[in-house]
Structures are given as C-alpha cells and as structure tokens.
Amino acid sequence: MTTPKRIAVVTGSNRGLGYAISRKLSDIGVHVILTSRKEAEGLAAKQQLANEGFDADYHLLDVTNDASVQQFTEWLRETYGKVDILVNNAGVNPTPKPEESSLLTVNLETMQTTFETNVLAVVRISQALIPLMKEQNYGRIVNISTEMASLTAISTDYYPLAPSYRLSKIGVNGITVILAKELQDTNILVNAYSPGWMKTDMGGENAPFTAEEGAETAIYLATLPDGGAQGKFFAEMRKFGGPVQVQW
Ligand SMILES: NC(=O)c1ccc[n+]([C@@H]2O[C@H](COP(=O)([O-])OP(=O)(O)OC[C@H]3O[C@@H](n4cnc5c(N)ncnc54)[C@H](OP(=O)(O)O)[C@@H]3O)[C@@H](O)[C@H]2O)c1
C-alpha cells in the first residue's frame, strides 16, 4: 500500500520565496497547491514547476479577501478533503519609501494595508484551514517572519526601523505563539522563521542569498516529526548549518 501524499498550501507562491518553498516541497514528494492573487502569474508558476518535472496544483487565493479564502477552502475540501502543511508566505513590505522608515512619519494607511496582508490574512487563513487540520489531527504551519521582528534585535541592530513591516511581523510572531498555545493538545505544530535577506522582488538585487537558500528552514518546519517544535521562532538554517532559535 502506498502512503498518501502530504498536501501543502503555500500562499503567494507565484514568485520569490513562496515559489522556492513550493519547489523544494515538491522535490521531497509533497503535493503542493500553488496559490496567488493573480491567476495568470500563478498558472505560469505551475507551468514552470511542470517544466522541472513537478506536478503541482494551482488555485486562486487572495489572502486579504474573505470571499477568496472561503472559495479556496471549499474547493480544497471538495478536491482533497484535507491539508497537511500551510505556509503563510504572502507578504508586503512598504519600507523603501522614505516616509515609511520612521514611526513619526509613517503613513497609517500604509501601515493598515501592511497589517491586512501580513497579520490579518494569517489569522483569516488559519481560521479557514486549521479546522481541516483538526479533522485529521495533523498539521504543520510555517509562518514567514524576519529577524527584524525580534524585539531584542530592534533595540540593537542596524536594519532600517521600518515600523509597518517590523510591527506586522511582530504580529506574525505573536500569532505563532498564541496559535501554538491553542493547539498544544493537538498534532498541529505552528512555528515561525526568518528566511534571511534574499534576492527577491522584495529583497532586491543586493541581498546576499537566494530564495532557494531562504526556503531551507521552511522545509524543516513543514516536515517536523510528531512532538517536534511548537510555537518557536527559528533563524535561517543556512547561517548555522542547522535549526537554531531566534530570541523573540
Ligand atoms: N526578501 C527578503 O529578504 C525577506 C526577508 C525576510 C522575510 N521575507 C518574507 O518572505 C515572504 C516572501 O517574500 P519575498 O521576498 O518572496 O517577496 P516577493 O517576491 O515580493 O513575494 C511576495 C509574495 O506575496 C504575494 N502576495 C502579496 N499580497 C498578497 C495577497 N493579498 N494575496 C496573495 N498573495 C499576496 C505576492 O503576490 P503578487 O505577485 O500578486 O504581488 C508574492 O507572490 C514575505 O512574507 C516576506 O515578508 C522576505
């Protein structure tokens, strides 16, 4: 008898880190459902994976839109009846605009839209998909954060203050801890990690690492054994050669 494949949903997987995680998960035999808010770009990513020999599925998913998340969840239930892995990857970062670099000048509307995608959407997707995970008492949730969201780092590091982005990812870290607490009696493990500074549309050309390198920790967290880490914040594995926790 063959073991049924694990099913993974990766948000914002049409490019960047989301695509790299999808590719790596496919490579270890996970059945990936690519998702994106722009259908043509998502289908192009599916084709790109197919060209590399991977048979991923695709569905439209705008994480900030209630109807889109509901439609996606209904489709997922009807088509697969379960989800094993959820990677909350979709994100935005308005930092490059000068006025966005200080809490004293940050545009509150920008802050709001950043929170819509980076924080509220993670709650929305969690509310939609965790019930499916609970039905089989199995789930691995990987939240993409950043070391810039470490409260310890904020007071000491050299990164831009980037208040909208940093506060939104502090929100992601908070969601990780609260969800882990709520799920402590289940086999659903939720963790966050920092992929490091990567060459993507968000990270830019000067970043030292590729999205493929940044994806490594996601694979570790998406395939944790039963009883593995719960509610923890990890660094990029590339930097330390193995899983290392970041200070909150
Ligand atoms: N790059 C870095 O150095 C770095 C460092 C630390 C953490 N991160 C985090 O890593 C994650 C991926 O970033 P990236 O570097 O790969 O950036 P990216 O290339 O800009 O990709 C962001 C992805 O999120 C998607 N997205 C944004 N809003 C969405 C929505 N409402 N619904 C669905 N998808 C949406 C984008 O879709 P569209 O194509 O439609 O815009 C895109 O696929 C983010 O959470 C980011 O904060 C990145």
Side-chain angles (χ1 to χ4, degrees):
M1 204 176 83
T2 53
T3 316
K5 276 193 161 193
R6 293 280 188 220
I7 307 289
V9 170
V10 184
T11 66
S13 40
N14 52 302
R15 61 184 162 97
L17 180 64
Y19 180 82
I21 292 172
S22 301
R23 193 193 177 288
K24 274 192 191 285
L25 285 173
S26 300
D27 201 26
I28 58 165
V30 172
H31 185 69
V32 173
I33 300 164
L34 295 158
T35 65
S36 69
R37 60 180 162 172
K38 295 170 199 151
E39 189 169 37
E41 294 183 17
L43 289 172
K46 176 177 147 85
Q47 186 57 50
Q48 201 178 327
L49 274 188
N51 294 345
E52 296 191 65
F54 300 118
D55 183 24
D57 205 343
Y58 169 77
H59 200 278
L60 194 67
L61 177 62
D62 181 341
V63 293
T64 60
N65 183 301
D66 277 335
S68 177
V69 171
Q70 195 183 334
Q71 219 171 32
F72 172 76
T73 307
E74 280 163 17
W75 171 84
L76 185 67
R77 182 179 281 283
E78 274 166 27
T79 312
Y80 293 99
K82 68 164 191 166
V83 57
D84 301 295
I85 297 164
L86 166 63
V87 182
N88 283 311
N89 166 77
V92 293
N93 179 3
T95 301
K97 295 178 196 149
E99 69 273 21
E100 301 297 341
S101 65
S102 159
L103 200 56
L104 300 180
T105 56
V106 68
N107 182 333
L108 292 188
E109 267 175 40
T110 314
M111 190 173 249
Q112 201 166 349
T113 52
T114 307
F115 271 62
E116 284 283 346
T117 307
N118 295 4
V119 186
L120 300 186
V122 176
V123 177
R124 181 180 290 107
I125 292 281
S126 299
Q127 288 181 347
L129 299 194
I130 289 176
L132 263 173
M133 290 179 166
K134 278 188 169 171
E135 283 174 23
Q136 51 164 0
N137 192 30
Y138 182 90
R140 301 292 180 261
I141 301 173
V142 183
N143 292 333
I144 312 300
S145 183
T146 165
E147 274 183 62
M148 289 171 72
S150 152
L151 286 171
T152 312
I154 283 181
S155 56
T156 55
D157 74 22
Y158 54 88
Y159 287 113
L161 285 173
S164 293
Y165 186 67
R166 287 188 111 145
L167 289 171
S168 74
K169 292 295 187 178
I170 288 170
V172 169
N173 286 355
I175 290 169
T176 304
V177 176
I178 291 173
L179 271 183
K181 187 87 183 148
E182 289 204 46
L183 297 169
Q184 63 185 346
D185 297 325
T186 73
N187 189 18
I188 302 169
L189 303 176
V190 50
N191 292 284
Y193 89 96
S194 165
W197 186 18
M198 303 167 293
K199 281 184 189 42
T200 60
D201 286 5
M202 185 186 291
E205 266 308 300
N206 294 330
F209 300 110
T210 63
E212 290 66 35
E213 289 171 308
E216 227 178 284
T217 317
I219 308 311
Y220 167 74
L221 294 174
T223 56
L224 281 172
D226 295 355
Q230 174 71 295
K232 301 288 190 290
F233 182 22
F234 287 87
E236 61 266 38
M237 286 173 53
R238 162 197 69 241
K239 199 152 124 187
F240 301 100
V244 166
Q245 284 177 37
V246 183
Q247 275 190 298
W248 292 112

